[in-house]
Amino acid sequence: MKMIKTEKILHLKSCRGRKVRVVREHYLREKVPCYSSVCQADCENDGKVLPGDLTHYVVPDVGVVLDYLEILEFRELQGIVFTQTTCQAVQHNKGRRQYNRLRNLLKDPRHDCVLFANEFQEYSYCEREKGESQERWQTRCVYAAAVWYHNHLAGMMDVVMITEDQKAIAQYSSLNSGVYVISVQDFLRNFWPDLQAAHDLYSSVSQALQEKESESSQKEFSEHLPAEVLEAGIKSGRYIKGTLNVSKHRAQNEASIMTDGLSDKNKDLSWGVMVFGVKNRNRAVHGDVVVVELLPKSEWRGKVTALSEGQGEEKSGEENESKPMPTGRVVGILQRNWRDYVVTFPPRDGTQSQSRNSQRILAVPWDHRIPKIRISTQQADTLQDHRVVVRIDSWESTSLYPNGHSVQVLGRAGELESEVQTILIENCIHVPPFSDAQLREMPVNSPEKPWRMDPSQVTERRDLRGTHLVFSIDPRGCEDVDDTLSIRSIAGGKLLELGVHIADVTHFVTEGSLTDLEARTRATTYYLADRRYDMLPAALSADLCSLLGGVDRYAMSVLWELDAETLAVTKVWYGRTIIRSSYQLYYELAQALLNGEEAEVPELTKLTSEERDAKLAQLTQALEMLTHVARHLRAQRDKGGALELEGVEVRAQLDEERNITALVPRQPLEVHETVAECMIYANHWVARKIQEKFPHQALLRCHPQPREDFFNQLLESASAGGFAIDTRTNKALADSLDRAVDPQDPLVNRLLRMMATTAMSQALYFSTGLLSQDQFYHYGLALDRYTHFTSPIRRYADIVVHRLLTAAIAMDTTGAEPGKPLAGHKELDETAQHINNKNRAAKQAQKLSTELFQCLFFKERDPQTDPHCVADAVIYAIRDNGVLVFVPEYGVKAPVYLKNREGQVVSAGKDGGCDWQSGSVRRSSDHISTTSVGGTSTFRLFDHITVRISVRSSNFHADSLNLEVISNKPHSSAEPKKPRPQGRSNLVQEVVRLAEEASQQAQEKEARRPKLSKEEREYRQSKTPNLYSLLEEVRELALTDLEMAAQVCATTA
C-alpha cells in the first residue's frame, strides 16, 4: 500500500481568531472495486455490479450531479458510475438531504449505478495543483476516473463522461480513444432520443439555472444566520427549533412551530410559537425545520377563531385560543424539506416577465400553504390551466418568491385523472407499475403450469388440512384473503383451540429482493375512492398469498389452547402451517348462520341433504364457539378501558366485471366484532412474542394517551348537551361516552365519539430499542403491547413482523441466534418512521379522494332546483361567525357561515326559512345568535338545520363544498333517527357513472388527441379496489371525521 500525505488548512474562527491547520493522511490502493461485470482484474465486487451487455458506461461530472441528478434518477439510464469526487461535492454543496438522495440511489438495486472510490485508486487519483480552482480539479478527477475505467476494462467498454463545462469538452473530448466527453444535452439526443420526459426535464432545469440570478438586487428578506450561530442560540435558549406548520385556512398570515420538549420549561410555549406574516416566515416553506427568535411580548398575536373561507375541521385545543401566544420570526433554516409540488399555470395576462427564449411565470401551488413559485418555461401558453409538477431550486433573499423548474405535466385542471394524480403527488405517493424484473421474481401459476407446494415445505410445516376446520369471513366478493380462522374442542371438551391463520407472504417475498424493496418503498396499499394501488403484485396479493377456499396455501398460524370454562390461555403455539380453507364466508352469510336463519353456503350446494345438514351444523357450531370466545376477549379489553370510537363500515357494490359501482354504509353486525377481536388477539400475542425474544429490535405499534387540551371541543360540546365526559383515563372516557346518549337523537352520541376520535393522537409503529416499556401501551385498545401481524398482503409492517416472528420461532426450535442478522433498532426505527409517514400519506390521499368525488357529485347539479343538494345537517361546533355541521346523508363535515363578508347575518323567519340581512352575531359556548331587523335567530349545538350544498370551484386548488343554511329547522324529508341509507350509494354510483361516460368520450376522442406520455399511460395501476382492505381502510366514508378517524382506526387497527 502506498501512502501520500496531504495537508489542508481549515480556517476556523475561535475567540482569539486563530486558524487551525488540519493534516489528513490519504491512502492510495492499487486494487479498488470497479463494480463492473466485465472486469477481468478480479476486483472484489461485492453487491451491485454494472451489467456487461451495455454499449457504454456513463460518468457524470460534479456539475451534472449537482444540477441534473433528477435526470440520472431515470431507471432507463443504465451503467452510471458516480465518483467519490462527485459524491463529496454533493455532500458539501447541496446538504444532507440531497446527499442522502444520492446515497439511496446508489443503494437501490433497481437502479444500475455504482460508486467508484476514485480518490483512493492509485492510478485515478489526481493531486490538486497549486493555483488550480476546485472546479477544474474536480473535473480533472472525474475525467481521470473515466480514463481509468476504460483502461481497467481493457477497452471492452466505452466510457462517456457527461459535463456542462464547455472548456472541459474542448480539452478532453479527443485525448483518449474510447473515452468520450459530451454535454448532457448531446448525451440525451444521441443515446436517448425517445426518452422525452428526460429531455423536457433537462430543458426545464437548464432554463431555471440560466435565470437563477435574481433580476432585483433589493433585499426582500433578511439573511439567515450562520449554522454555528443558530446552534449556539438553540443551546443557550435564545432561539427555538421546530418544524414550520403553515395554517391551511390562513396561509398568508398564520404559521406555527411546535416546540417539543420546551413546554415543560416554559408553559408559554405549550401551544408552540406563532410566526405571523410572510416577512417573519423569512423564506421558510411549510415542512422546513427552522430556527425562530421570539418577538417582544408586545408584538405577540393570537390565532383567529372565526371561520375563514374554505375552512374545514381544526384540531381541538387550538380553536378557542384567541389570547396572544408566543410569536416569533424565522432567523435560520436548518433543513429544507422541499418536495414535488403540483402547481397550475395561470392564464397569461401580460404582466409576467419574458426573455428571448422563455417566460417567467408565477405558478400557483395546489396546496394553499405553499407560496407561488417562479418557473421559467418556453411552454407558458401551452400550459395555461394545466396541473404541472414542479420542484423548488432556490429562494434568494432578493426575491419575493422561490425559483423552480417544471418536472412533469399531469393534464388540464379539473379533469379526473389530473386531479387524482395531483392527490398522489401532493402526498409523495409514487406507485409506478411493477417492473418486469420484479414480476420475474413471482412464482408461476397458470393452467399450463400450476403452482405446487414445495415438498420440503410440506415436511417442515405443520399440516392442518386434515385436522382443522378453517374458514374465512370477509366482505362479499373478497379476492385477497389475508386471514382465516379455526376453532375446535379438544381434550374431551375440556379445552378449546382457537386458531388465526395469516397468509405467509414472507415465503414468497425474500428480504432484499426487488419485490421486497418496492413493497417497503410503498409501505402500504393505497385506496382511493375509485381505485387502489397494490403494495404487492397481483400474482401474490390476489392469488398465491390469498387464502382462498378449497386450495392449499402456506400460512403463519397462532394457535391458543383455552380452558373451556374460563377461556384462560393454557398454551400458545406459533408456526408455519399448511391450510386449506373449507369455507369462504361473507359477513352477512356468517351472521345469518349465527342467527339460525335459512342461508345457502356455496360450498355445500352440491352435497346430499344429509351431508349438507351435517356440515352446516359443524360450521354453525364453530361460528357460535368463535362468537363466544370473541365476546369474552372484548369484555376483557373493555375492563382495561378499550375505546369504541365512531366508524361506519361500507360495503362495495360490484358490476359483472367486478368493478365497484357504489359504496353503501352497512349495518354493523356482531360477526364484524368477532373477526376484529380475533385479529386484535393475534396481533397482541405476536407482539408479546417478538418483544420478549428481541427486546431491543421488535416492531410494535403504540397509541399514546392524547393531550388533555385536545379534548376541549369534546368537553365543551358534551357539557353544552348536558353530558359529563371524563377524559382522565381511557376507561373513564369509554364509560362516559357510553353514558352520553340522547334517546331522541342517536346522532348526538355518534358526534361525541367523532370528537373523541379527532382528539386522539396517532397510533405509530416504533422500534422497542428506542422507547421504554411503559411507552409501549396502546391507549385505544387498552393493551400493553400491540403490533400488526394479520395483513401482510397490504401492510409492510406486517411483513417485518412476520420475519421477526419467524426468527423467534427458529430460536425456540434450535436455541441458536438467527442465521441472518436482524435489523438494529436504529435501522428498524428508520423503517418504522418511513411506514408511519406513508400511512399518513395514504390516509390523507384517501380523504382528499373522497372529497374529490363528493365535489364531482354536486358539481353538475343545480343547487337551486336539485333535491339532492338540500340535506339535513347537525351542528357540532360553534365559531365566532358560524357553525360547523355534519351532513349524515353524505358523510360531509363543513362550515356554515352565519355572517358574510358584507356584514350581513342569517335571519330566520317564522317558518324557519333563512335570508341575509344587516345585523350582528353573538357567540356563546352552546349556541350562536344573530340579531337583525327580522328579530333574533338562535342556532344551538346539536340542532338539526337544513342546508343547501353547492361546489366552490377553483382553477388553482381543489374544489370544495359550500354549505348554506336555508332553514333553521330539520330538513322536511329528513328522519334524524334514520338518515336516508342510499345517499352515499347514490353519490358514488352517480360519480362513477359520470366518470365512465367521460372515459368513453375520451376514448372516442383519442385519435384527435396527442399520445399520452409513458408516465400518464402507466400511472394508473388498478381500477378495482381490494374489497377486504377497502372495508378496513375507508371507515370514514359515512360518519367518521375524514381527517382524523384513520389515526385510531377505530378498534381494529
Side-chain angles (χ1 to χ4, degrees):
M1 181 182 292
K2 182 179 178 181
M3 182 181 74
I4 297 178
K5 184 170 71 174
T6 62
E7 295 184 359
K8 297 181 181 180
I9 301 177
L10 301 180
H11 299 279
L12 305 177
K13 289 184 180 179
S14 65
C15 57
R16 298 182 181 180
R18 296 177 60 186
K19 294 179 182 179
V20 180
R21 189 172 68 175
V22 178
V23 179
R24 290 181 177 171
E25 294 181 339
H26 195 77
Y27 297 92
L28 298 180
R29 304 170 182 84
E30 182 178 355
K31 289 223 167 190
V32 172
C34 67
Y35 301 108
S36 171
S37 57
V38 298
C39 174
Q40 304 294 316
D42 298 326
C43 287
E44 296 179 5
N45 295 324
D46 296 328
K48 213 167 40 162
V49 294
L50 299 178
D53 56 354
L54 303 177
T55 60
H56 62 276
Y57 288 160
V58 182
V59 181
D61 84 339
V62 169
V64 171
V65 178
L66 290 175
D67 295 330
Y68 296 96
L69 181 60
E70 299 165 62
I71 293 175
L72 301 176
E73 289 175 330
F74 279 82
R75 291 189 190 176
E76 289 84 351
L77 304 188
Q78 297 177 305
I80 300 178
V81 179
F82 290 97
T83 61
Q84 178 187 356
T85 303
T86 60
C87 290
Q88 290 175 347
V90 170
Q91 184 177 18
H92 295 149
N93 296 318
K94 288 289 189 177
R96 185 179 61 184
R97 186 178 178 84
Q98 190 79 349
Y99 178 63
N100 287 338
R101 182 173 174 175
L102 177 56
R103 286 182 61 197
N104 292 334
L105 182 68
L106 287 163
K107 288 191 292 185
D108 192 338
R110 295 168 294 183
H111 291 270
D112 278 327
C113 59
V114 297
L115 172 64
F116 172 50
N118 64 305
E119 294 189 22
F120 291 113
Q121 215 296 324
E122 180 179 357
Y123 302 112
S124 68
Y125 173 72
C126 297
E127 193 166 358
R128 188 170 172 181
E129 297 173 355
K130 189 172 183 179
E132 186 178 30
S133 70
Q134 185 178 40
E135 292 76 13
R136 286 278 148 222
W137 171 71
Q138 289 173 335
T139 301
R140 194 159 55 86
C141 286
V142 174
Y143 179 72
V147 172
W148 179 89
Y149 246 91
H150 182 261
N151 295 334
H152 177 75
L153 300 178
M156 297 171 61
M157 184 70 66
D158 288 342
V159 177
V160 177
M161 173 180 166
I162 54 176
T163 178
E164 289 294 271
D165 186 343
Q166 294 301 317
K167 291 183 179 179
I169 294 174
Q171 180 179 356
Y172 298 123
S173 59
S174 58
L175 282 185
N176 286 273
S177 175
V179 180
Y180 305 93
V181 183
I182 60 176
S183 67
V184 178
Q185 188 172 30
D186 287 341
F187 170 72
L188 294 175
R189 284 175 179 169
N190 293 328
F191 295 100
W192 298 99
D194 298 327
L195 192 57
Q196 190 57 44
H199 289 270
D200 293 342
L201 185 56
Y202 172 79
S203 175
S204 176
V205 174
S206 297
Q207 290 169 14
L209 291 171
Q210 289 171 12
E211 303 195 19
K212 187 175 181 180
E213 296 298 326
S214 176
E215 294 177 354
S216 170
S217 59
Q218 180 181 349
K219 293 279 186 184
E220 300 290 350
F221 297 96
S222 58
E223 295 291 346
H224 295 145
L225 297 177
E228 58 269 20
V229 175
L230 297 176
E231 290 177 10
I234 293 169
K235 288 181 180 179
S236 68
R238 179 181 177 183
Y239 300 145
I240 300 164
K241 171 188 171 184
T243 302
L244 187 75
N245 180 35
V246 178
S247 169
K248 286 188 291 187
H249 313 302
R250 289 168 284 276
Q252 288 299 311
N253 290 322
E254 285 190 13
S256 61
I257 66 166
M258 292 307 294
T259 52
D260 295 337
L262 291 179
S263 56
D264 296 335
K265 302 176 185 177
N266 187 343
K267 290 186 178 180
D268 284 339
L269 300 179
S270 60
W271 291 109
V273 177
M274 174 183 278
V275 180
F276 189 85
V278 174
K279 288 291 184 183
N280 284 332
R281 220 175 286 172
N282 196 6
R283 296 172 285 148
V285 176
H286 174 75
D288 287 348
V289 179
V290 300
V291 178
V292 170
E293 179 182 39
L294 287 182
L295 298 173
K297 282 197 173 184
S298 60
E299 297 181 35
W300 287 10
R301 304 287 297 258
K303 290 195 174 182
V304 178
T305 58
L307 294 171
S308 61
E309 188 168 344
Q311 178 178 349
E313 186 64 28
E314 292 181 13
K315 184 73 175 179
S316 299
E318 294 180 356
E319 52 209 25
N320 296 323
E321 290 296 318
S322 57
K323 64 181 182 181
M325 62 182 291
T327 305
R329 65 184 184 93
V330 173
V331 295
I333 298 176
L334 294 181
Q335 182 175 318
R336 288 289 194 187
N337 284 325
W338 294 338
R339 55 173 175 82
D340 286 2
Y341 302 103
V342 177
V343 303
T344 306
F345 277 44
R348 189 171 175 181
D349 58 6
T351 61
Q352 306 281 9
S353 62
Q354 188 168 2
S355 65
R356 184 177 59 182
N357 296 320
S358 65
Q359 187 178 4
R360 305 189 75 184
I361 300 294
L362 274 179
V364 182
W366 186 84
D367 188 338
H368 290 270
R369 299 170 295 183
I370 307 303
K372 293 178 181 179
I373 302 172
R374 183 179 286 110
I375 305 294
S376 298
T377 178
Q378 298 175 349
Q379 300 176 297
D381 294 333
T382 307
L383 297 180
Q384 285 181 36
D385 297 322
H386 278 66
R387 302 276 195 236
V388 181
V389 182
V390 304
R391 290 173 186 155
I392 296 177
D393 298 316
S394 63
W395 194 348
E396 306 300 332
S397 60
T398 54
S399 175
L400 284 172
Y401 302 102
N403 295 312
H405 65 274
S406 59
V407 176
Q408 179 188 3
V409 180
L410 300 181
R412 189 170 292 278
E415 293 181 353
L416 180 60
E417 278 308 303
S418 301
E419 300 306 311
V420 169
Q421 290 189 31
T422 294
I423 288 170
L424 293 174
I425 289 168
E426 280 292 323
N427 288 281
C428 302
I429 296 173
H430 183 56
V431 279
F434 294 104
S435 69
D436 292 340
Q438 290 160 359
L439 296 178
R440 282 196 293 270
E441 294 180 344
M442 298 297 100
V444 177
N445 185 26
S446 64
E448 299 78 22
K449 191 177 179 182
W451 174 83
R452 288 185 174 85
M453 290 190 296
D454 187 334
S456 64
Q457 290 291 324
V458 175
T459 304
E460 294 172 6
R461 292 172 181 262
R462 182 172 172 179
D463 194 339
L464 306 182
R465 289 174 292 180
T467 56
H468 290 66
L469 177 66
V470 177
F471 54 89
S472 61
I473 309 175
D474 291 292
R476 188 192 294 263
C478 180
E479 293 177 344
D480 61 339
V481 182
D482 324 62
D483 57 270
T484 54
L485 299 161
S486 67
I487 190 165
R488 61 175 183 163
S489 179
I490 57 176
K494 294 181 181 179
L495 297 174
L496 293 178
E497 185 192 62
L498 170 66
V500 171
H501 316 281
I502 306 301
D504 190 359
V505 172
T506 55
H507 171 79
F508 298 98
V509 180
T510 307
E511 187 171 4
S513 65
L514 295 178
T515 304
D516 180 55
L517 290 168
E518 185 66 30
R520 184 191 183 280
T521 299
R522 299 186 183 206
T524 182
T525 293
Y526 299 95
Y527 299 95
L528 305 185
D530 67 332
R531 68 194 72 183
R532 82 170 187 267
Y533 296 94
D534 295 320
M535 185 182 78
L536 294 173
L540 296 182
S541 62
D543 190 5
L544 295 180
C545 287
S546 184
L547 306 181
L548 303 171
V551 293
D552 295 339
R553 289 291 182 259
Y554 296 145
M556 287 284 286
S557 299
V558 185
L559 297 168
W560 297 268
E561 290 184 5
L562 311 172
D563 185 279
E565 299 272 337
T566 64
L567 297 182
V569 177
T570 61
K571 183 181 178 182
V572 61
W573 180 88
Y574 308 87
R576 284 184 142 153
T577 57
I578 298 172
I579 65 167
R580 181 185 297 142
S581 177
S582 299
Y583 302 99
Q584 201 169 335
L585 306 176
Y586 54 92
Y587 285 119
E588 292 78 10
L589 174 58
Q591 191 64 53
L593 293 175
L594 283 168
N595 296 342
E597 302 169 5
E598 286 290 328
E600 183 176 298
V601 180
E603 290 85 351
L604 303 180
T605 53
K606 296 182 180 180
L607 301 179
T608 64
S609 177
E610 290 182 3
E611 290 175 323
R612 183 168 59 250
D613 290 344
K615 287 189 174 293
L616 192 61
Q618 181 190 30
L619 174 60
T620 304
Q621 183 185 19
L623 289 171
E624 289 171 348
M625 285 193 293
L626 198 66
T627 303
H628 172 63
V629 172
R631 287 172 181 168
H632 171 76
L633 297 178
R634 175 70 201 199
Q636 292 298 109
R637 289 199 306 110
D638 283 343
K639 289 179 183 177
L643 295 172
E644 182 181 346
L645 298 171
E646 185 53 42
V648 172
E649 302 278 357
V650 297
R651 66 178 174 86
Q653 289 184 348
L654 304 177
D655 60 19
E656 294 178 356
E657 296 179 356
R658 307 197 67 74
N659 292 320
I660 289 184
T661 59
L663 299 174
V664 184
R666 64 174 179 172
Q667 294 298 318
L669 305 173
E670 185 178 16
V671 72
H672 295 149
E673 290 294 326
T674 298
V675 175
E677 283 303 322
C678 293
M679 298 304 113
I680 292 170
Y681 202 53
N683 288 333
H684 170 58
W685 277 85
V686 169
R688 290 176 54 171
K689 178 70 174 178
I690 63 175
Q691 190 268 330
E692 288 166 2
K693 284 293 180 184
F694 310 112
H696 302 298
Q697 52 200 121
L699 183 70
L700 300 190
R701 186 167 174 84
C702 67
H703 183 207
Q705 181 168 345
R707 282 174 46 170
E708 276 296 311
D709 37 76
F710 283 177
F711 285 117
N712 286 350
Q713 173 70 68
L714 171 65
L715 295 174
E716 290 176 8
S717 299
S719 177
F723 305 111
I725 300 294
D726 188 347
T727 61
R728 288 175 297 177
T729 65
N730 52 355
K731 178 162 179 55
L733 176 60
D735 292 342
S736 56
L737 283 172
D738 288 341
R739 293 191 297 268
V741 176
D742 183 348
Q744 305 301 317
D745 190 358
L747 269 177
V748 171
N749 186 261
R750 288 181 173 180
L751 285 167
L752 292 175
R753 290 185 186 275
M754 285 162 54
M755 294 177 200
T757 302
T758 303
M760 291 294 148
S761 24
Q762 188 171 5
L764 298 169
Y765 298 106
F766 69 97
S767 169
T768 51
L770 295 179
L771 292 181
S772 58
Q773 193 155 344
D774 60 337
Q775 295 176 290
F776 294 1
Y777 187 68
H778 197 292
Y779 178 85
L781 298 178
L783 294 172
D784 62 341
R785 280 162 290 184
Y786 192 69
T787 193
H788 273 160
F789 161 75
T790 54
S791 294
I793 291 177
R794 63 186 178 91
R795 291 188 305 228
Y796 190 75
D798 301 56
I799 290 179
V800 176
V801 169
H802 275 233
R803 288 174 179 149
L804 288 166
L805 180 60
T806 302
I809 294 168
M811 288 176 66
D812 286 342
T813 305
T814 64
E817 292 295 317
K820 184 175 182 179
L822 296 174
H825 66 267
K826 288 187 178 179
E827 182 182 346
L828 187 62
D829 182 62
E830 288 180 6
T831 300
Q833 297 308 318
H834 169 74
I835 297 173
N836 290 333
N837 292 335
K838 289 298 182 182
N839 282 347
R840 275 191 289 268
K843 288 164 186 173
Q844 180 67 5
Q846 189 178 41
K847 168 184 174 290
L848 292 170
S849 172
T850 302
E851 292 174 353
L852 169 63
F853 270 73
Q854 288 171 339
C855 290
L856 289 173
F857 178 73
F858 290 106
K859 195 165 189 176
E860 301 303 321
R861 301 179 183 275
D862 184 351
Q864 300 298 326
T865 59
D866 195 318
H868 290 93
C869 297
V870 178
D872 189 64
V874 187
I875 298 173
Y876 71 89
I878 308 294
R879 295 291 185 270
D880 287 351
N881 59 340
V883 295
L884 294 176
V885 301
F886 171 63
V887 183
E889 183 175 355
Y890 298 119
V892 170
K893 297 177 77 175
V896 171
Y897 298 92
L898 301 181
K899 184 177 182 179
N900 63 21
R901 291 178 175 178
E902 288 73 36
Q904 295 177 315
V905 299
V906 169
S907 177
K910 291 183 180 179
D911 61 348
C914 297
D915 59 1
W916 292 96
Q917 298 180 3
S918 298
S920 60
V921 174
R922 184 175 181 181
R923 171 188 175 180
S924 299
S925 61
D926 64 341
H927 69 273
I928 184 171
S929 299
T930 64
T931 304
S932 64
V933 292
T936 299
S937 305
T938 301
F939 298 82
R940 299 185 180 279
L941 207 59
F942 303 126
D943 276 357
H944 287 252
I945 61 175
T946 303
V947 296
R948 177 180 289 119
I949 306 173
S950 59
V951 175
R952 183 187 293 111
S953 295
S954 169
N955 286 335
F956 303 120
H957 312 290
D959 290 347
S960 59
L961 294 181
N962 179 57
L963 272 59
E964 179 185 3
V965 59
I966 58 175
S967 173
N968 66 351
K969 295 181 180 179
H971 185 39
S972 56
S973 64
E975 298 178 15
K977 294 182 181 179
K978 293 182 180 180
R980 285 180 276 179
Q982 295 302 314
R984 171 69 64 172
S985 168
N986 290 340
L987 186 155
V988 180
Q989 194 168 19
E990 180 68 10
V991 171
V992 170
R993 183 185 66 78
L994 292 172
E996 289 173 349
E997 289 180 2
S999 176
Q1000 185 176 355
Q1001 293 172 4
Q1003 291 175 6
E1004 292 171 357
K1005 296 178 180 178
E1006 185 176 1
R1008 294 184 300 235
R1009 288 188 176 182
K1011 291 185 178 180
L1012 295 173
S1013 68
K1014 182 179 179 183
E1015 288 77 10
E1016 289 173 316
R1017 288 198 308 272
E1018 297 182 344
Y1019 208 87
R1020 286 183 60 184
Q1021 183 181 346
S1022 170
K1023 279 196 67 175
T1024 310
N1026 163 282
L1027 298 184
Y1028 174 76
S1029 302
L1030 185 71
L1031 295 174
E1032 291 293 317
E1033 297 287 346
V1034 199
R1035 299 178 160 271
E1036 77 280 2
L1037 278 178
L1039 276 173
T1040 56
D1041 176 61
L1042 288 172
E1043 186 167 1
M1044 301 299 295
Q1047 292 186 359
V1048 258
C1049 236
T1051 55
T1052 60

